[in-house]
Amino acid sequence: MDINFEYYKIFYYVAKYENMTKAAAALNSNQPNVTRIMKLLESQLGCRLFVRGARGISLTEEGEQLYSHVEIAYKQLLGAQEEIRRQGSFCGGMVDIGVTETALHLFLLNALHHFRLEFPEIRIKIHNRTTPETIRHLISGKLDFAIVTDPFALSEAISCHKIMDYNEVLVGGTQYRALSETVLELKDLRNHCLIGLGRESATYRLYKDFFIEHGVDYEPDMEVATSGLMLPLIENNFGLGFVPEALALPLLEEGKLVQMRINCPIPKRSIQMLADKSRGKSLAADTLYKYLKRGQK
């Protein structure tokens, strides 16, 4: 039996509303056309589907039986259509992420590798800036979300989800090997060149406060724009610097760096994912955000 599947769609709405006129409005059609098609469907099926009464129409036993199948099939088709539409919207979808360099190397690079294997159609633009700059760009709406290193101050409009904790170590080049054999006090570091991130960074503020708490001023002799510039300078014996342990470890194991010991614990740090609660995300951005968040559970 060759029945036009459009008839079943119209039947679904007529059965749902139990009214030809309402069904026609939902279908952007007209009542005479809907009535005509339902008569054709009844004729082709060889049975009555509706009983027409003073209060409208109701389904016959055959109509109820047909509706039980059509309802399931129609909803499944709508679900499949929506799923395909959502997947299709990924094509050309762009996600703008703000990220600090430490967060990029300790977390995001590896996470994006796995994400790209699963969602190769989503394009990603990474904006590498300091934590304060990244937060400003997030608030201004230039970023979908951000992944930054602490410390920072946030308004209530920004949501915050911890990605991971990490430790930092004080390291120097091989010329500092003899110094690494003694336990240093923070005040001793004033006798050596210090390399650190610039004043606009969260890291500078962290260590400024850390040194002040111990009665010592913190003024790096060499300031760099990104943490990626610190390790080459330290490795080439330009001075000492606090760097993420995970990034320094390969060079420590190769003997290209030496670790200094100090008589007080170095502040622990964390990587946090931030989003503006007042703004919605695109489907592509929401997919990546939830993927990264889910990966930390």
Side-chain angles (χ1 to χ4, degrees):
M1 185 183 298
D2 187 16
I3 297 179
N4 190 329
F5 279 93
E6 186 69 10
Y7 291 3
Y8 290 120
K9 175 183 177 180
I10 297 171
F11 168 78
Y12 169 78
Y13 279 95
V14 173
K16 178 180 178 181
Y17 291 109
E18 296 183 337
N19 185 287
M20 296 285 186
T21 303
K22 289 182 179 179
L27 292 162
N28 293 317
S29 183
N30 56 71
Q31 184 267 327
N33 186 55
V34 170
T35 301
R36 178 182 62 82
I37 290 174
M38 288 301 93
K39 287 181 178 179
L40 283 173
L41 181 60
E42 287 180 327
S43 174
Q44 292 183 13
L45 290 174
C47 65
R48 292 188 67 184
L49 300 174
F50 304 99
V51 176
R52 294 159 181 83
R55 295 185 177 182
I57 61 175
S58 59
L59 293 171
T60 63
E61 184 177 344
E62 292 84 356
E64 291 280 5
Q65 184 178 1
L66 179 62
Y67 182 70
S68 66
H69 293 285
V70 171
E71 181 183 33
I72 294 172
Y74 188 66
K75 287 183 177 179
Q76 287 180 338
L77 286 171
L78 288 179
Q81 176 180 288
E82 178 64 12
E83 184 175 322
I84 291 171
R85 185 195 68 77
R86 288 168 65 89
Q87 290 176 348
S89 68
F90 286 159
C91 297
M94 171 72 77
V95 185
D96 284 273
I97 311 173
V99 62
T100 60
E101 191 155 351
T102 296
L104 177 69
H105 290 290
L106 292 186
F107 167 71
L108 190 58
L109 284 177
N110 185 60
L112 285 183
H113 173 75
H114 296 289
F115 179 81
R116 290 286 292 168
L117 293 176
E118 189 170 346
F119 299 96
E121 64 276 14
I122 295 180
R123 294 177 294 150
I124 301 169
K125 187 173 183 179
I126 297 175
H127 304 263
N128 178 212
R129 296 182 176 90
T130 65
T131 293
E133 288 177 310
T134 299
I135 293 176
R136 284 196 296 271
H137 280 253
L138 176 65
I139 293 172
S140 69
K142 296 179 181 179
L143 303 173
D144 291 300
F145 60 91
I147 304 174
V148 300
T149 47
D150 63 357
F152 48 77
L154 295 177
S155 70
E156 293 184 356
I158 304 298
S159 66
C160 184
H161 174 79
K162 181 187 286 189
I163 295 293
M164 62 181 290
D165 293 309
Y166 68 96
N167 297 315
E168 293 198 322
V169 292
L170 179 63
V171 295
T174 54
Q175 289 184 8
Y176 292 90
R177 192 173 303 280
L179 187 65
S180 69
E181 297 175 357
T182 62
V183 178
L184 302 172
E185 296 184 19
L186 284 185
K187 65 180 182 179
D188 297 330
L189 300 184
R190 292 180 299 182
N191 300 321
H192 305 279
C193 180
L194 283 179
I195 301 173
L197 292 180
R199 297 167 185 268
E200 72 285 354
S201 68
T203 298
Y204 176 89
R205 187 71 260 169
L206 174 78
Y207 283 105
K208 184 74 171 180
D209 293 342
F210 173 56
F211 273 64
I212 289 174
E213 287 175 6
H214 291 82
V216 184
D217 193 22
Y218 174 74
E219 288 297 335
D221 299 278
M222 298 184 69
E223 293 185 12
V224 296
T226 67
S227 58
L229 296 174
M230 288 185 63
L231 281 172
L233 291 172
I234 295 170
E235 183 182 349
N236 283 278
N237 297 298
F238 282 96
L240 306 175
F242 295 93
V243 298
E245 184 177 21
L247 299 182
L249 189 58
L251 295 173
L252 288 169
E253 292 176 343
E254 293 174 19
K256 295 180 179 180
L257 292 180
V258 293
Q259 183 174 343
M260 305 296 145
R261 294 178 293 163
I262 57 177
N263 66 343
C264 55
I266 297 172
K268 289 186 175 296
R269 305 195 66 182
S270 68
I271 294 173
Q272 310 270 351
M273 187 157 62
L274 311 180
D276 188 340
K277 292 185 287 187
S278 66
R279 288 188 291 112
K281 302 181 186 67
S282 68
L283 180 59
D286 192 53
T287 299
L288 176 54
Y289 180 84
K290 289 178 178 177
Y291 181 93
L292 297 176
K293 190 173 181 179
R294 185 171 64 248
Q296 302 313 304
K297 292 182 178 178

